[in-house]
Amino acid sequence: MAKTCFSLALTGSGGAGVMTAGQILLDAAARSGLYGLMVRSLGPQIRGGESAAILRIGTAPVSSLGDTCSVLVAVDWGNIERFADEIPLDENSLVIADPDQGEVPPVIVAKSPKIAFVPLKALADTVPGGRVNMIALGLAAALAGFDEAVVAEAIQASLGRKSQEVVDISLQTLRAGMGAATAVRSEAPEIADLACGCSAPAPDNGKHRRWLLSGNAATGLGILRGGVRYCAAYPITPATEVLEWLAGALPKVGGALVQAEDELASINMVVGGSFAGIPSMTATSGPGLSLMVETLGLAVAAEIPLVVCNVMRGGPSTGIPTKSEQSDLNIALFGLHGDAPHVVTAATDIRDCLFTGQWSVQLAEAMQTPVIMLTDQAMGQAQAVIEPLEASPQKTERLVPSENTPNYQRYAVTNSGVSPMAIPGMKGCAYTADGLEHSPLGRPSTQARDHQDQLDKRARKIEAHDYGDAWADIDGEGEIALLTFGSLTGVAREAAETLRARGVPVRVIALRLLMPLRTEDLKRALQGVRRVLVIEQNHSRQFLAYLKSTFDFEAEVVSCARPGPVPIRPQEIVTAATSRDMGDTK
Amino acid sequence: MNTEFDPKNYRSDLKPVWCPGCGDYSVIAAIARALANLKIRQENVAFISGIGCSSRIAAYASTYGFHGIHGRALPLASGVKVARPDLTVLAAGGDGDGFSIGGNHFLHACRRNVDMTYIVMDNSVYGMTKGQASPTSEADWCGSKLTPEGPSIPPIQPLEVALAAQASYVSRAFTGDLAELTRQIEEAISHKGFSLVHVLSPCVTYRPEQRGYKDRVHQEWTPTSNRAEAFQRLLEDDGFATGTLFVDPRPPYTPMTAAPASMAEIEADFAI
């Protein structure tokens, strides 16, 4: 019986090219009519470090790596122990190893996989200039049942910009790799046949072609669709690709990107750009967000719309820059001093970065507020084959006054809490934006009345906004609810499928709007639920603490939390949903 | 006379928090005159400041303004100008705001050469927090309870730093000479690129001895575009020479441009 999905990992020392091989494999999957997800696991080295491309390919869109890895192709064993935990091998897995790279390390043997030896490097050497990553690609592609011509197309698309010679050598090496698959298949026939049911090429009528993109690129496109035309950038892992993508795209639509000297500068440049009337954003990760919070408070007080996309990584401090965690939730929610209502959103998967990016800009502009959009390394730096998502038809709009408005008050106390924001250049409405508390006119004020009024209006505009149905993605029914956010959404959905298959009805609630928490909507979503599993990837259960402090649960609440960098697996959620708290303390 | 470009129209009706006799009054007066003389309409000016006594200045102009946070006027102003090149952008603040907490931004604003004017009102003291040593205070200035024996570190040399960091316009003025101050601000606004106007602006409350500045300043410099000569002048400077020190005609910063593309064309890059 053909499989519906499989997981496969390619590992090797940095420079071995396993990321390129993984990327081409994912591309070939898309060209074969399949979907897929590829997560990059990298060491901290600039060059020469270990790396792993971990893929899951299937007949339906993939947003979780699943519980096990069927096949590991190890080009070499450099530093394998550093990320062996991230590749879930067991006795049903097959490891393809090069006998010339020495003994299979104990950390792999301990998991009892079947092991097939293929002289990967020696095979590559049979082709002049041939590289071992193309042997690994050929093996993997053959086991997956991909057509050679389709993989060749993907190679052309990936390497064509180098030179035709590189492509030709790669194709020759690919064929040598594909040829080696026969022997592997005969050694472990039950594992090594990875071919998925649907391998008809995707319909190519020019309109319904699938997309292959990273979460960070998807965020960039979503933000661009939202109307952002100015970005100030300071590089930081794992957010840099959002900025790099925008650096290429913004000038094409008349926008601008500037590289700043630090995050203090980038966020203030963003405030300046938005004050000047241009929807503006930046992207960063934990340490950068820490530097930005004072200015985010300024944007709250001065009512400046802007978006900061924070791609979470392991913290605190420098932490684990290349690996995923959801531990910046607290700083996103509570990092600002004073009473500083703002908005925090979270994309639920790579495809959703398109929607949430666009929506975050809409929210920022509509409410004249900073929006922190959370994604994480597991989403941002992963690539997926997705169905294209059209831009939301909702317009991005900022409320502005008419020119020469008599007695214009920038911070007028309105019912909605939103006040018309004049843009430099507009006649008769000049004002000074201020981080000092101010009167409706914008004049600095220490008076109790002004402070109360302005605090009230800034809170009111966030609370009173109509967020519609986008506040969460909800699917399923049942007395058990899986409540989560971010890249764990896909994992929770897969766990839900497993539970449903066992006859346990379950609903999945993935919050897209973390702050303000839509308590009434959440209450409705949890109606009839007996047990809520709160799923998050951090040590101190930040999400659980936030929910409990803001929402009265009627159901039993169980935590499923673990820090990074090893992703939470669907099976852990299944176990937690059907037994007790998985953690060490309640 | 055309009343539209009357300096009075460039002043807001907000009463300054400054002490009587503060040098900063001259700076707002000079800015109003310069903008009027240059016939730049109020709504086309964005005036950005940080935190400190002098940073209150943005609200005392009738232009668009932003009184932001401590030390970050320059990046905020850079953001305004890059996003909206049509606006005339001024940034202003004190020596603590610009050279201490905002020191890194000062370096990079000089390098970046965004077309805007930065006016620093230097009184060698933190006035708003009641008189602490600033980055331009003398090493042996003992007037602060925070550093009763003096800061014991040499003062920063803002003009040397600006030159080293590739600023394209550098001048120094004294608040006691309103005509020269106005002239420099006009010249700086007209300069295409980042312009620094360093203003000796006495603090009569915490540095009353600065009332004596008027006897020490001397109009000295005429513009040069020779960096070596400009550095030489600074090495010989007693801190009270005024005039336009240095002008470099290098082009101002512009962000990267590209051939226009539709969103559909941009999205097509993702299609397999």
Side-chain angles (χ1 to χ4, degrees):
Chain A
M1 192 180 87
K3 294 183 159 75
T4 57
C5 68
F6 66 89
S7 295
L8 178 144
L10 304 168
T11 65
S13 304
V18 295
M19 287 304 167
T20 305
Q23 176 105 32
I24 295 170
L25 191 65
L26 189 60
D27 188 335
R31 290 170 198 271
S32 305
L34 297 168
Y35 296 89
L37 175 71
M38 178 178 120
V39 173
R40 309 193 307 168
S41 181
L42 296 164
Q45 295 85 349
I46 308 305
R47 283 186 77 103
E50 71 283 3
S51 55
I54 305 168
L55 292 97
R56 192 142 184 248
I57 287 167
T59 54
V62 182
S63 59
S64 154
L65 287 176
D67 285 302
T68 59
C69 178
S70 302
V71 173
L72 165 65
V73 185
V75 165
D76 58 57
W77 295 115
N79 292 318
I80 185 73
E81 64 283 350
R82 290 200 197 158
F83 54 75
D85 286 346
E86 294 169 47
I87 303 169
L89 302 171
D90 59 25
E91 59 279 5
N92 295 316
S93 306
L94 172 67
V95 171
I96 300 173
D98 187 335
D100 299 331
Q101 297 295 325
E103 297 272 306
V104 177
V107 69
I108 298 294
V109 174
K111 297 179 178 186
S112 316
K114 292 191 178 54
I115 296 172
F117 287 101
V118 178
L120 303 167
K121 185 74 177 67
L123 271 173
D125 290 343
T126 62
V127 179
R131 298 193 59 204
V132 70
N133 64 334
M134 290 296 126
I135 297 290
L137 171 65
L139 259 173
L143 298 183
F146 293 170
D147 191 27
E148 185 189 313
V150 170
V151 187
E153 270 178 40
I155 286 177
Q156 183 72 44
S158 172
L159 304 177
R161 68 194 142 75
K162 292 193 174 175
S163 74
Q164 195 52 45
E165 192 192 356
V166 169
V167 172
D168 292 341
I169 293 170
S170 298
L171 291 176
Q172 218 183 325
T173 321
L174 172 82
R175 282 192 283 276
M178 292 186 97
T182 318
V184 171
R185 262 206 215 91
S186 66
E187 269 187 60
E190 68 288 2
I191 306 174
D193 181 12
L194 300 175
C196 290
C198 151
S199 58
D204 182 5
N205 58 11
K207 274 187 184 167
H208 292 99
R209 293 166 68 190
R210 285 181 189 148
W211 286 3
L212 171 57
L213 77 180
S214 72
N216 281 343
T219 297
L221 176 54
I223 293 280
L224 200 69
R225 285 172 165 182
V228 161
R229 292 296 179 268
Y230 179 67
C231 173
Y234 191 74
I236 186 168
T237 304
T240 308
E241 298 87 0
V242 177
L243 304 165
E244 288 177 337
W245 190 86
L246 283 167
L250 275 168
K252 295 178 184 169
V253 293
L257 178 139
V258 177
Q259 181 171 339
E261 56 270 27
D262 55 30
E263 287 94 345
L264 302 166
S266 58
I267 188 66
N268 277 280
M269 287 176 172
V270 164
V271 168
S274 179
F275 166 73
I278 310 296
S280 301
M281 75 86 64
T282 187
T284 190
S285 189
L289 185 62
S290 298
L291 288 176
M292 290 179 185
V293 290
E294 185 195 11
T295 302
L296 288 174
L298 171 66
V300 169
E303 303 198 45
I304 305 295
L306 60 88
V307 176
V308 176
C309 174
N310 186 68
V311 186
M312 294 183 284
R313 67 192 217 185
S317 190
T318 312
I320 313 179
T322 54
K323 311 253 172 171
S324 201
E325 202 165 73
Q326 295 180 316
S327 48
D328 291 349
L329 177 62
N330 275 350
I331 188 178
L333 296 170
F334 308 120
L336 283 59
H337 70 264
D339 291 312
H342 60 283
V343 175
V344 180
T345 59
T348 58
D349 61 20
I350 290 175
R351 187 168 187 254
D352 189 60
C353 289
L354 296 164
F355 176 82
T356 301
Q358 185 181 359
W359 192 48
S360 296
V361 182
Q362 290 164 351
L363 295 177
E365 293 287 322
M367 288 179 272
Q368 299 171 20
T369 185
V371 173
I372 300 173
M373 170 180 164
L374 295 176
T375 67
D376 52 47
Q377 186 274 338
M379 186 188 302
Q381 293 194 319
Q383 311 230 13
V385 181
I386 63 165
E387 283 300 318
L389 183 70
E390 295 272 311
S392 150
Q394 194 176 328
K395 291 245 180 335
T396 299
E397 282 173 310
R398 187 188 293 191
L399 185 65
V400 295
S402 317
E403 287 200 331
N404 297 312
T405 296
N407 306 314
Y408 171 64
Q409 296 187 328
R410 164 65 185 102
Y411 300 106
V413 177
T414 60
N415 287 335
S416 68
V418 179
S419 324
M421 179 177 180
I423 305 302
M426 293 181 72
K427 291 188 178 67
C429 299
Y431 74 101
T432 298
D434 210 321
L436 283 170
E437 189 56 283
H438 38 255
S439 69
L441 265 175
R443 299 286 169 85
S445 171
T446 56
Q447 289 181 30
R449 179 80 260 157
D450 285 329
H451 191 39
Q452 182 77 48
D453 284 351
Q454 295 295 317
L455 285 170
D456 285 347
K457 91 182 264 299
R458 294 192 292 256
R460 190 160 67 237
K461 69 181 182 181
I462 307 286
E463 282 302 325
H465 185 80
D466 179 6
Y467 296 91
D469 293 333
W471 69 279
D473 270 354
I474 303 168
D475 60 73
E477 283 297 329
E479 293 186 340
I480 294 177
L482 309 181
L483 183 52
T484 192
F485 73 102
S487 65
L488 288 181
T489 303
V491 187
R493 285 184 184 145
E494 184 164 340
E497 286 305 316
T498 305
L499 287 163
R500 287 170 193 144
R502 290 186 195 170
V504 182
V506 58
R507 67 183 82 171
V508 179
I509 303 169
L511 295 192
R512 189 181 283 108
L513 183 67
L514 294 171
M515 192 152 88
L517 190 66
R518 306 312 288 164
T519 49
E520 287 305 311
D521 291 326
L522 183 58
K523 195 172 173 182
R524 270 192 294 279
L526 287 172
Q527 227 147 42
V529 167
R530 187 174 49 78
R531 185 173 226 212
V532 182
L533 192 65
V534 176
I535 305 160
E536 60 191 305
Q537 186 124 39
N538 62 67
H539 186 261
S540 60
R541 303 174 185 204
Q542 299 176 13
F543 189 40
L544 178 71
Y546 170 57
L547 291 170
K548 279 189 166 174
S549 70
T550 316
F551 183 75
D552 291 322
F553 282 101
E554 288 170 7
E556 176 195 18
V557 181
V558 182
S559 173
C560 177
R562 186 158 59 64
V566 178
I568 290 178
R569 305 283 175 193
Q571 191 54 47
E572 292 176 66
I573 295 174
V574 169
T575 305
T578 49
S579 65
R580 293 301 309 173
D581 193 336
M582 71 175 269
D584 46 350
T585 53
K586 179 80 197 295
Chain B
M1 170 183 170
N2 186 345
T3 56
E4 187 186 7
F5 297 111
D6 183 335
K8 283 197 207 74
N9 293 341
Y10 290 82
R11 302 284 297 273
S12 76
D13 56 3
L14 200 58
K15 186 177 174 303
V17 294
W18 301 324
C19 309
C22 175
D24 297 350
Y25 286 101
S26 298
V27 178
I28 185 65
I31 289 170
R33 287 184 186 196
L35 290 171
N37 291 346
L38 293 170
K39 297 189 164 39
I40 301 170
R41 299 179 58 95
Q42 292 100 312
E43 66 267 18
N44 295 329
V45 177
F47 191 2
I48 315 301
S49 64
I51 293 295
C53 300
S54 58
S55 287
R56 291 286 187 130
I57 197 167
Y60 306 148
S62 62
T63 64
Y64 280 89
F66 205 130
H67 181 220
I69 58 170
H70 198 21
R72 316 293 166 222
L74 285 175
L76 206 156
S78 305
V80 172
K81 183 66 185 183
V82 175
R84 286 283 306 280
D86 57 305
L87 298 172
T88 294
V89 177
L90 309 179
D95 39 302
D97 192 71
F99 307 141
S100 191
I101 187 169
N104 192 38
H105 307 309
F106 177 56
L107 297 181
H108 295 279
C110 290
R111 285 177 60 220
R112 196 173 283 118
N113 204 33
V114 169
D115 181 14
M116 61 187 193
T117 296
Y118 184 35
I119 301 162
V120 180
M121 289 154 267
D122 187 350
N123 56 11
S124 301
V125 72
Y126 285 92
M128 189 148 265
T129 48
K130 315 284 185 222
Q132 293 77 31
S134 89
T136 56
S137 297
E138 303 82 343
D140 58 354
W141 178 68
C142 300
S144 165
K145 283 189 225 167
L146 197 57
T147 52
E149 297 182 346
S152 306
I153 52 175
I156 201 164
Q157 301 299 325
L159 303 196
E160 289 179 35
V161 172
L163 271 186
Q166 312 291 320
S168 64
Y169 175 99
V170 180
S171 71
R172 186 191 285 144
F174 169 53
T175 53
D177 185 347
L178 187 58
E180 171 64 8
L181 177 59
T182 306
R183 186 197 71 77
Q184 286 184 23
I185 292 172
E186 275 187 55
E187 187 177 70
I189 291 172
S190 302
H191 173 75
K192 296 290 171 211
F194 179 79
S195 46
L196 169 70
V197 181
H198 181 228
V199 185
L200 302 173
S201 181
C203 174
V204 294
T205 299
Y206 297 105
R207 302 295 307 263
E209 71 280 12
Q210 291 176 348
R211 289 178 191 273
Y213 276 6
K214 62 179 186 306
D215 302 321
R216 301 180 66 182
V217 296
H218 45 104
Q219 182 71 9
E220 189 78 34
W221 297 327
T222 53
T224 177
S225 55
N226 182 324
R227 286 165 58 78
E229 188 184 337
F231 270 115
Q232 188 59 40
R233 288 175 179 179
L234 289 176
L235 292 174
E236 293 161 4
D237 177 32
D238 62 355
F240 293 94
T242 58
T244 304
L245 174 70
F246 179 72
V247 181
D248 179 352
R250 76 182 170 105
Y253 175 88
T254 50
M256 194 178 83
T257 56
S262 68
M263 288 299 286
E265 287 167 319
I266 291 170
E267 291 171 4
D269 281 349
F270 294 130
I272 290 287

